[in-house]
Amino acid sequence: MKKGPWRYYLLALLVIFVDQALKLWVHFNMQMGPQGAIRLIGDWFKLHYTLNPGMAFGIQFGFRHGKLILTLGRIVAAFVIGYHIWRLWRRGDMLRGQLWGWALVLGGAVGNVIDSTFYAVWLDNGPQNAPMTWFNGQVIDMLYLDVWETWIPAWVPLVGNSYIAVFPIFNLADIAILLGGVLIIFWARRNIINKYALFSKPTTAEPSPAASQQPPSPSESIENLGSAE
């Protein structure tokens, strides 16, 4: 019996729950900024409460309604990924491995969509110049690999006048998206290799009856001619 796709959606829901639980714990129990950081492993892995107003690495569109457009785009992408999981499930067993990857991506995407959609209303963490509270929340990040950081001068486009780290501060939703992408690439590559091996496998065709009848040798022809006389 063919199993339904619900186990993949359940994995996405688990990612969303754990991601949101950690974000809310950080918001209500930690002080924002480096002064409130909590060391987890030495000085290089910390919990560091910060807000991300844009995309990865804090990149923003740079105009007043940029965050609104980004959030709406994230919502559309989440629905597309959810529908894509259902389509892959219907296509067959060759794509089962990719489904787990897409489930992680879906969970991570929705986890960050919740921040962007509701947190400016629920947690009042929207930027000061936001045109509205809905769809303008900032994503909560907290996982920090404190290896090296530097100041970016103001003339650098998009990320100027800010600190940037070798490993930027991220969250569990970002980890889920990254792991999901790795799984998708791995299984896609494996499926390509398997298909290539299937089509390139040499086949041994049975000889046809006509080809199996070898012409008689000259000596056999002479003997047959003598016996006929």
Side-chain angles (χ1 to χ4, degrees):
M1 183 177 179
K2 191 175 182 180
K3 296 182 179 180
W6 310 116
R7 50 183 173 168
Y8 307 111
Y9 296 118
L10 286 176
L11 175 60
L13 285 175
L14 177 62
V15 171
I16 296 168
F17 175 79
V18 176
D19 172 69
Q20 288 297 306
L22 179 58
K23 288 174 177 176
L24 292 176
W25 183 90
V26 167
H27 175 77
F28 289 109
N29 294 278
M30 290 185 62
Q31 181 181 359
M32 192 177 301
Q35 62 274 15
I38 299 175
R39 296 179 181 178
L40 298 179
I41 303 178
D43 290 330
W44 61 271
F45 185 42
K46 307 173 183 177
L47 284 180
H48 181 123
Y49 182 12
T50 187
L51 296 176
N52 183 354
M55 298 177 281
F57 305 103
I59 298 175
Q60 305 179 56
F61 285 133
F63 52 92
R64 192 164 183 261
H65 295 279
K67 181 65 178 183
L68 174 62
I69 295 175
L70 174 61
T71 301
L72 294 178
R74 284 172 167 172
I75 294 173
V76 172
F79 277 104
V80 171
I81 294 171
Y83 176 68
H84 185 60
I85 290 175
W86 180 78
R87 289 185 68 250
L88 286 181
W89 169 77
R90 293 198 62 183
R91 286 175 57 182
D93 293 334
M94 287 293 291
L95 300 172
R96 288 292 186 263
Q98 292 189 39
L99 283 169
W100 294 112
W102 281 112
L104 290 173
V105 173
L106 176 62
V110 174
N112 285 333
V113 162
I114 292 174
D115 296 32
S116 299
T117 305
F118 302 107
Y119 275 13
V121 179
W122 295 348
L123 306 180
D124 192 25
N125 76 349
Q128 295 181 353
N129 61 344
M132 57 189 296
T133 51
W134 290 102
F135 307 107
N136 279 274
Q138 300 186 79
V139 176
I140 293 179
D141 290 333
M142 78 294 294
L143 301 175
Y144 182 29
L145 294 175
D146 189 2
V147 178
W148 177 81
E149 65 178 17
T150 187
W151 177 262
I152 303 299
W155 54 266
V156 178
L158 300 177
V159 294
N161 200 28
S162 64
Y163 276 101
I164 188 169
V166 174
F167 293 98
I169 305 174
F170 50 96
N171 55 44
L172 290 179
D174 299 330
I175 295 177
I177 293 173
L178 176 62
L179 291 179
V182 171
L183 282 177
I184 292 169
I185 294 173
F186 171 79
W187 283 104
R189 181 176 178 274
R190 180 174 177 178
N191 290 339
I192 292 173
I193 292 175
N194 290 340
K195 289 180 180 180
Y196 177 79
L198 177 64
F199 288 114
S200 63
K201 184 177 181 181
T203 56
T204 55
E206 296 182 358
S208 61
S212 60
Q213 297 178 359
Q214 300 293 334
S217 61
S219 59
E220 290 177 348
S221 301
I222 295 174
E223 292 178 357
N224 293 337
L225 180 60
S227 59
E229 291 177 353

